Amino acid sequence: MTEFAASHDTETDPRTRMECGVCWTVYDPAEGDPLGRAAPGTPFAALPEAWCCPTCDAPPVKFLRLDDDR
């Protein structure tokens, strides 16, 4: 199993925000990623394989679950 798949397997809540471990950009499913062509409401686990951080081009495997009280 790849690291990318492993990071997606642990995500259970489609509203979970993810933070880039390189530049700290936050991917918020409620907002999506207009630059990466992810519509609002797209869970991190549903992003295309070719998706990368819109700020630093880090791959999804570099993203960490953001535990916050929103």
Side-chain angles (χ1 to χ4, degrees):
M1 180 183 305
T2 66
E3 288 179 272
F4 178 73
S7 71
H8 283 66
D9 288 345
T10 61
E11 184 178 356
T12 56
D13 187 345
R15 298 170 297 165
T16 299
R17 295 175 359 142
M18 302 292 283
E19 183 174 57
C20 179
V22 176
C23 72
W24 312 116
T25 294
V26 174
Y27 175 77
D28 185 344
E31 296 175 12
D33 177 15
L35 296 175
R37 297 187 188 107
T42 303
F44 190 80
L47 291 171
E49 270 188 53
W51 184 87
C52 57
C53 177
T55 303
C56 72
D57 290 330
V61 70
K62 295 292 186 181
F63 278 71
L64 308 168
R65 181 186 312 269
L66 185 61
D67 293 323
D68 58 3
D69 298 325
R70 283 193 325 134

